[in-house]
Amino acid sequence: MEKTNWTEIEFILQGLSEYPRAEKLLFVMCLVIYLVILLGNSTLIILTLLDSRLHTPMYFFLSNLSFLDICYTSASLPAMLIHFLSKKKTISFTRCVVQMSVSYMMASTECVLLAVMAYDRYGAICNPLTYPVIMSKTLCIQMASFSWGLGFLNSLVQTLLAIRLPFCGKNVFNHFVCEMLAFVKLACADISLNEITLMLDNVIFLLFPLLLICISYIFILSIVLRINSVEGRKKAFSTCSAHVTVVIMFYGTILFMYMKPKSKASAVDKLIALFYGAVIPMLNPIIYSLRNTEVHGAMRKLVSRHWFWRKG
């Protein structure tokens, strides 16, 4: 069977087209969410760059996570907003592939980056004396580059395997965005190789990083429980609470989507996927800045500097 010309292929993003009023409500909600994502994550990146007190490994990795969240949501949310108000919910083959590959790269990178951040917290709490030497600027850059590079290579391999497939049927995504597994299942050819590689991806980029995170926090917990002072334990827990919350939300949503019984996608399933793709990136900067005195201090410093500049 010959492959159809890519320029002739279009996909339909069904979303919640059967609920037009709900789509208008979602448009408003997602627009607000996207603006908060841009504002919150950009603010964290700017604060990390400008305030010398935030030039630490933890905030370096956090700024990477913030930039990642901006890229991840920018790949899908603007197009989703347009489709919410449009009667013609189609997307070209090229745009679908770009959206899918960028989203897949960012998701893969975040899995690795969260494991790297857990290792950073392990070093800060379990080896505080050698931590500044071990977690040097060079090592932090290398670990961040490794996360981004691994995510890029993974997305590249999966995308190349997906676009080789022929499409000859009714190309309808029962979703808001183009998604890798759904894209592959629309092909009119054998997709066993794609399914095997995607299954391996789940082990390498979901289960293995999650295992490393759990091991890191087992060591952290064992050290924290040995601290005699209540204030010391509270301080140690507070440095990890934001990361633990983000990990629980991120992996909890993914594992729920993958482990629930397979059935025809319902409106609830789509909303859960929307929570994973939009709400979590919005909550990340809020969670990390909430009750964080260093971020609050950097924010006050930036605001006061801006106020004096305008006054001058």
Side-chain angles (χ1 to χ4, degrees):
M1 184 184 296
E2 292 186 1
K3 292 184 180 180
T4 309
N5 190 337
W6 288 353
T7 59
E8 299 174 357
I9 302 176
E10 279 192 337
F11 296 94
I12 300 171
L13 297 171
Q14 192 172 9
L16 291 176
S17 53
E18 64 271 29
Y19 305 107
R21 291 185 179 179
E23 284 198 322
K24 288 180 173 59
L25 178 62
L26 281 174
F27 171 81
V28 176
M29 291 175 59
C30 288
L31 178 60
V32 173
I33 287 171
Y34 185 53
L35 293 175
V36 173
I37 288 169
L38 294 179
L39 178 63
N41 287 289
S42 298
T43 301
L44 266 179
I45 293 171
I46 292 169
L47 290 176
T48 303
L49 291 173
L50 296 181
D51 198 300
S52 58
R53 290 174 297 178
L54 302 184
H55 291 174
T56 62
M58 183 179 80
Y59 290 104
F60 171 74
F61 293 127
L62 179 56
S63 62
N64 272 266
L65 182 63
S66 294
F67 179 69
L68 186 151
D69 284 337
I70 291 174
C71 295
Y72 180 75
T73 51
S74 296
S76 56
L77 271 181
M80 192 189 304
L81 290 171
I82 294 171
H83 286 153
F84 280 145
L85 299 181
S86 175
K87 290 184 178 179
K88 187 182 180 183
K89 303 180 187 298
T90 58
I91 185 171
S92 67
F93 182 91
T94 304
R95 284 178 56 207
C96 184
V97 168
V98 170
Q99 184 184 94
M100 174 182 68
S101 59
V102 172
S103 298
Y104 203 80
M105 173 186 168
M106 297 303 152
S108 302
T109 303
E110 184 161 359
C111 290
V112 182
L113 191 59
L114 288 174
V116 169
M117 293 173 76
Y119 174 76
D120 171 64
R121 292 299 83 208
Y122 161 78
I125 294 173
C126 298
N127 300 293
L129 297 178
T130 58
Y131 172 73
V133 178
I134 295 173
M135 293 300 292
S136 63
K137 185 177 179 180
T138 302
L139 180 62
C140 290
I141 293 173
Q142 289 174 344
M143 293 174 78
S145 301
F146 174 76
S147 302
W148 285 95
L150 209 58
F152 171 76
L153 289 175
N154 185 46
S155 176
L156 180 64
V157 170
Q158 292 298 341
T159 302
L160 291 176
L161 287 174
I163 62 175
R164 70 182 176 83
L165 298 169
F167 295 86
C168 49
K170 190 178 180 182
N171 300 320
V172 179
F173 280 99
N174 193 14
H175 208 319
F176 298 111
V177 295
C178 293
E179 195 265 337
M180 186 69 73
L181 183 58
F183 180 91
V184 167
K185 287 186 175 180
L186 291 175
C188 48
D190 180 28
I191 60 169
S192 56
L193 176 60
N194 300 78
E195 290 180 325
I196 291 170
T197 54
L198 286 170
M199 191 181 300
L200 287 174
D201 269 5
N202 290 338
V203 174
I204 296 172
F205 287 92
L206 286 177
L207 299 182
F208 187 63
L210 182 58
L211 178 63
L212 293 178
I213 292 170
C214 291
I215 292 172
S216 297
Y217 277 105
I218 288 172
F219 282 109
I220 289 171
L221 186 62
S222 66
I223 293 294
V224 171
L225 292 177
R226 294 180 203 167
I227 299 174
N228 294 324
S229 70
V230 176
E231 193 63 31
R233 285 199 296 268
K234 187 184 292 185
K235 185 177 179 181
F237 278 125
S238 66
T239 62
C240 301
S241 58
H243 182 255
V244 172
T245 304
V246 170
V247 168
I248 290 173
M249 288 195 309
F250 180 78
Y251 278 100
T253 308
I254 291 179
L255 293 175
F256 176 80
M257 289 191 299
Y258 276 92
M259 292 185 171
K260 66 181 180 60
K262 300 296 180 183
S263 61
K264 189 176 180 180
S266 65
V268 176
D269 294 331
K270 296 174 189 177
L271 292 175
I272 292 172
L274 184 62
F275 174 84
Y276 162 74
V279 179
I280 291 178
M282 178 190 71
L283 293 176
N284 281 351
I286 297 173
I287 291 169
Y288 275 103
S289 60
L290 199 67
R291 295 177 61 188
N292 190 317
T293 55
E294 292 173 321
V295 174
H296 293 171
M299 178 65 76
R300 284 193 295 270
K301 184 178 177 181
L302 182 65
V303 171
S304 62
R305 184 187 300 174
H306 178 69
W307 184 80
F308 281 119
W309 177 79
R310 290 190 64 182
K311 188 178 179 181

